[in-house]
Amino acid sequence: MLTVLRTGWRSRGAALAGLAAATLALTACSGSSATEETNAGGSSIEYGADKSAYVDALADMDPVTLAIQSTGPKGSATGRRFEDYAAAVEEWSGGKITFEFTYSNGMAPPNEVHLALADGRLDIGSVMPALVPDDLPAANALGDLSHLGRQTPVDWMLQWHGIMLDLAAATDDVDREYEKHGMKLLLPAFGSGAYMPYCTDPGASTDELDGRGVASQSKVQNREAEALGLTPTSISYAEMFEGLQRGVIDCAFSTVTGAALGGFIPAAPHVAYAEEEGFNAPAGTIAISLARWNELPLAAQQLMYDRLDVLLQANFEGAWENTAAAVGAVLDADGALTPFDADVVERLADVHAAVEEEVAGTDAVTDGEALVDAAREAETEWAGRIDALGIDGVGTSYEDFPAWYAQGAPDLQPYFDALWDGAMGDRRPS
């Protein structure tokens, strides 16, 4: 099991200086340092307090039941993050906050969750900004930078989440955008692994990939595909297996979790990746109905925010469980996870340079140039920070991952300490 942060605040170190400067530039341009919190009053709880402090603070709270939607079936590796989070909040609230679950996106499909949160069908759910780019342009500007970070299975989870959460804390544009649509953003980004092409035939060079059809998940992935000679098409996860099996498409961009749960690895067991140049990784977010959020006392808001550590823990565990299963399925199907040739890496880098230039000039956020600068700072700083933490197996390859996973997950307490000392602490209700 992963160890979750339970300590108090500590000062941020000098490693954050570069990102802090970019953050100040962004917030200065926006005219506000943070989105103003609204709550029903009550006492404030210091982060790191034990369970009894939250229970005592909420003793006089009227009980509330929140409608929450899980993206996966009950008890699944994908749905575990929602279930563990709900159980922790319920326990730490002394039973004052309970949850009513809908599983497998049964209340609202992924592209309508933001509407369901606004109209009251749901209280908590996972919003995918890439599915609604016109409604959430600022969130998509952040998402356009999601190719950053090292692409090996352990390192990606650690570095990518640090980068994306730092970016969300660097500007309040995304928070304001969610509030405009009747939502309060709780967790600005979570992912389940790096995106890679899963293909029916081997392909690690542009010559081999040229002319193939690929299922794509975002606008930036479409551009990445076209740069490699692939023809992108939009196909849902539910249709990928049949599309690959029948030859409608030759490849699918997917995370290891999507590939494992989608069941299409036997039809497409040939995977390629570059350790230092990733594909765009459309992220999920966790949001709550703004109307419901504003009804909660401050301590309840703080509890729901603080126990996002449990959600992240479960997300890491589920992703790594699915990674082990996916690698095993690839090898069982006589496939392989192969490094891209240099020509592919070069073309991806060219696309990403162009995307970063466009984000720098976008009007979707207050200061796109400062956002790109913050992204580059965060990528460098999180790479060094993770190396300095000394977490066992950070550089583990996909081929060696099942053996690493079989030894048990490492102690991630130092990682959660660094995360909560920085971006997550900056966003905490107060």
Side-chain angles (χ1 to χ4, degrees):
M1 297 290 292
L2 307 185
T3 304
V4 180
L5 176 65
R6 288 290 184 267
T7 56
W9 296 114
R10 293 188 302 278
S11 61
R12 301 176 70 177
L16 291 174
L19 181 60
T23 301
L24 287 173
L26 279 167
T27 54
C29 290
S30 68
S32 174
S33 61
T35 299
E36 183 179 354
E37 295 288 349
T38 303
N39 58 66
S43 61
S44 176
I45 304 299
E46 182 180 356
Y47 184 81
D50 62 20
K51 181 172 65 176
S52 64
Y54 292 91
V55 172
D56 290 346
L58 299 176
D60 296 328
M61 173 186 171
D62 291 334
V64 60
T65 298
L66 302 178
I68 184 171
Q69 176 167 282
S70 170
T71 57
K74 184 177 182 179
S76 67
T78 304
R80 184 189 308 161
R81 55 188 170 229
F82 300 97
E83 295 169 39
D84 287 2
Y85 171 70
V89 170
E90 182 168 347
E91 179 183 354
W92 282 59
S93 71
K96 290 301 181 75
I97 304 174
T98 57
F99 297 84
E100 181 179 345
F101 266 88
T102 298
Y103 297 97
S104 301
N105 297 319
M107 179 65 71
N111 64 336
E112 294 182 11
V113 174
H114 66 305
L115 301 177
L117 291 170
D119 66 25
R121 284 176 288 162
L122 287 173
D123 294 316
I124 301 176
S126 174
V127 177
M128 292 283 291
L131 299 180
V132 286
D134 293 338
D135 289 332
L136 302 174
N140 275 276
L142 265 68
D144 286 349
L145 302 174
S146 61
H147 56 273
L148 298 171
R150 295 181 295 217
Q151 302 297 302
T152 48
V154 181
D155 209 356
W156 187 94
M157 292 294 293
L158 302 175
Q159 190 182 3
W160 184 90
H161 282 87
I163 293 167
M164 299 307 292
L165 294 175
D166 271 7
L167 288 186
T171 174
D172 60 10
D173 290 300
V174 179
D175 287 288
R176 292 183 183 280
E177 181 175 79
Y178 272 64
E179 291 190 359
K180 177 182 176 182
H181 289 279
M183 300 177 287
K184 171 65 182 177
L185 181 60
L186 290 178
L187 184 63
F190 69 92
S192 57
Y195 276 79
M196 300 177 286
Y198 289 72
C199 297
T200 55
D201 294 303
S205 69
T206 53
D207 286 343
E208 291 172 318
L209 296 173
D210 188 55
R212 295 183 182 182
V214 62
S216 173
Q217 305 300 315
S218 71
K219 291 181 178 180
V220 174
Q221 282 188 4
N222 290 346
R223 295 173 61 175
E224 292 164 337
E226 290 166 352
L228 303 183
L230 297 162
T231 301
T233 186
S234 179
I235 295 179
S236 70
Y237 274 118
E239 299 170 318
M240 281 184 184
F241 179 81
E242 184 177 358
L244 290 162
Q245 193 174 47
R246 296 177 57 186
V248 176
I249 51 174
D250 307 291
C251 305
F253 286 136
S254 178
T255 65
V256 287
T257 292
L261 298 181
F264 57 76
I265 292 177
H270 302 285
V271 190
Y273 68 99
E275 288 191 12
E276 300 297 331
E277 198 70 46
F279 286 87
N280 180 255
T285 68
I286 302 296
I288 183 171
S289 160
L290 182 60
R292 179 69 86 171
W293 176 259
N294 289 343
E295 295 172 351
L296 297 173
L298 175 59
Q301 292 181 349
Q302 290 172 330
L303 172 60
M304 294 188 66
Y305 187 84
D306 293 344
R307 290 292 72 80
L308 288 170
D309 55 5
V310 175
L311 188 148
L312 284 170
Q313 172 181 340
N315 185 58
F316 276 64
E317 291 178 338
W320 284 338
E321 179 181 326
N322 287 322
T323 299
V327 172
V330 165
L331 299 178
D332 288 345
D334 295 324
L337 292 106
T338 306
F340 276 125
D341 288 358
D343 60 340
V344 172
V345 179
E346 182 178 349
R347 292 193 188 187
L348 285 175
D350 288 344
V351 171
H352 297 153
V355 168
E356 290 174 16
E357 184 176 352
E358 291 168 11
V359 173
T362 186
D363 59 3
V365 294
T366 304
D367 190 337
E369 186 173 353
L371 180 64
V372 172
D373 288 344
R376 291 168 177 162
E377 292 280 359
E379 182 179 39
T380 300
E381 290 172 3
W382 272 103
R385 199 173 306 157
I386 290 167
D387 287 342
L389 291 176
I391 296 171
D392 181 53
V394 164
T396 300
S397 68
Y398 282 98
E399 292 81 1
D400 295 334
F401 184 85
W404 175 86
Y405 180 75
Q407 298 173 1
D411 177 11
L412 290 185
Q413 180 72 51
Y415 173 76
F416 281 105
D417 285 350
L419 196 61
W420 254 260
D421 271 354
M424 294 301 288
D426 291 343
R427 295 176 48 79
R428 188 176 190 259
S430 61

